[in-house]
């Protein structure tokens, strides 16, 4: 599942549900067979879907499968130490009210967008619970969260809806503005709101080689040209941070390495997007602060400081 905490993919939702089930089912002495998980699902789960979910978790190092004579369904599984770390991190996020609220808004907007394309007009909002989008880190959104989300999106003109049975927004349909958020901002309300507030922003960037004309970055952004962006130094700092990635908690490592990859890709781009580099650097700093490792914090700090100077902030 992505770092937004929700997904539109049933296979990802199934993997998280299976990881949860294995962890809870094996906390005692018993190690139940995987067939028990399949039998407990509200809808029939075919063998191919179960096999794919098990394979994905096993290849990621999150579970260890103990084979049975009757095939996969008669096999059992246990969560690895890495799996426990990942699962606990996701469970901790479930209690983050701010993260849940943002995720609920973006997930509901994305769901209504898809509902329109499937020819479903003004669906009951609670039906999102039947969809993978109706969960945050595997935990279903509450009725109150769904209700609050409907009000929030309607108040901002992203959806239109009608109430009933005590619910301010019982059923709804996505508005053109909401479609724009999904299509142009990948459903990110934060990115959309930033664009609305910022209007036209000025970014100072520096490049290795001379460029001519204005180079646009982001949305509704102008850019000032400057020579002297030292990609070599940036790449060296990235490598230094990458060598310290082993100190990052396992649950955050995939995100951490992804942000490093983004910075590296932009650094080797003839027209690097400083805004993207800055954003990725900020994410790295946030993850490093949780690790509590002085060496990691120092290397990330040096990288972020260099990025800030390249952006003209320091």
């Amino acid at each position: 599942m992505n770092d937004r905490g929700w997904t539109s993919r049933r296979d990802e939702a199934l993997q998280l549900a299976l990881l949860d089930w294995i962890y809870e089912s094996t906390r005692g002495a018993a190690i139940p067979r995987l067939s028990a998980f399949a039998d407990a699902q509200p809808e029939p789960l075919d063998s191919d879907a179960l096999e794919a979910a098990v394979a994905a978790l096993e290849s990621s190092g999150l579970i260890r499968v103990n084979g049975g004579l009757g095939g996969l369904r008669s096999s059992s599984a246990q969560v690895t130490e890495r799996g426990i770390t990942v699962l606990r991190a996701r469970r901790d996020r479930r209690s983050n009210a701010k993260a849940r609220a943002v995720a609920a808004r973006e997930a509901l907007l994305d769901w209504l967008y898809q509902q329109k394309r499937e020819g479903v007009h003004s669906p009951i909002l609670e039906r999102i619970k039947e969809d993978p989008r109706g969960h945050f880190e595997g935990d279903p959104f509450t009725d109150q969260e769904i209700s609050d989300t409907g009000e929030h999106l309607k108040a901002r003109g992203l959806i239109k809806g009608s109430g009933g049975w005590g619910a301010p927004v019982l059923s709804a349909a996505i508005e053109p503005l909401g479609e724009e958020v999904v299509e142009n901002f990948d459903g990110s309300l934060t990115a959309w709101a930033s664009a609305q507030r910022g209007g036209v922003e000025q970014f100072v960037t520096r490049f290795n080689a001379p460029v001519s004309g204005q180079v646009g970055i982001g949305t509704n952004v102008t850019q000032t040209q400057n020579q002297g962006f030292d990609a070599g130094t940036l790449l060296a700092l990235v490598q230094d941070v990458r060598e310290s990635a082993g100190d990052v908690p396992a649950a955050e490592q995939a995100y951490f390495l992804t942000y490093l990859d983004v910075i590296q890709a932009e650094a080797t781009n003839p027209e690097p997007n400083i805004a993207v580099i800055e954003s990725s650097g900020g994410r790295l700093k946030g993850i490093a602060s949780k690790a509590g490792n002085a060496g990691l914090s120092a290397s990330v700090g040096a990288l972020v400081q260099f990025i800030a100077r390249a952006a003209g902030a320091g």
Side-chain angles (χ1 to χ4, degrees), residues 210-238:
V211 296
S212 60
Q214 292 294 327
V215 180
I217 60 175
T219 304
N220 296 327
V221 176
T222 61
Q223 184 179 46
T224 300
Q225 300 168 200
N226 289 283
Q227 299 177 20
F229 182 85
D230 189 351
T233 299
L234 179 58
L235 290 173
L237 290 170
V238 166

Side-chain angles (χ1 to χ4, degrees), residues 4 6-8 10 103-135 141 146 149-150 153 159 169-174 178-179 182 187:
R4 296 194 291 189
W6 63 271
T7 180
S8 60
R10 293 192 178 277
R105 295 164 188 168
E106 295 182 351
L108 183 61
L109 194 64
D110 191 80
W111 180 71
L112 287 172
Y113 179 88
Q114 185 61 35
Q115 290 290 293
K116 180 177 179 179
R117 269 116 196 103
E118 294 177 358
V120 181
H121 304 288
S122 296
I124 303 297
L125 295 189
E126 286 192 3
R127 279 193 50 214
I128 192 177
K129 293 181 180 179
E130 304 167 10
D131 189 271
R133 298 172 181 84
H135 303 74
F141 290 119
I146 294 172
T149 295
L153 296 178
I159 67 173
V169 182
L170 179 66
S171 61
I174 193 168
E179 293 180 288
V182 174

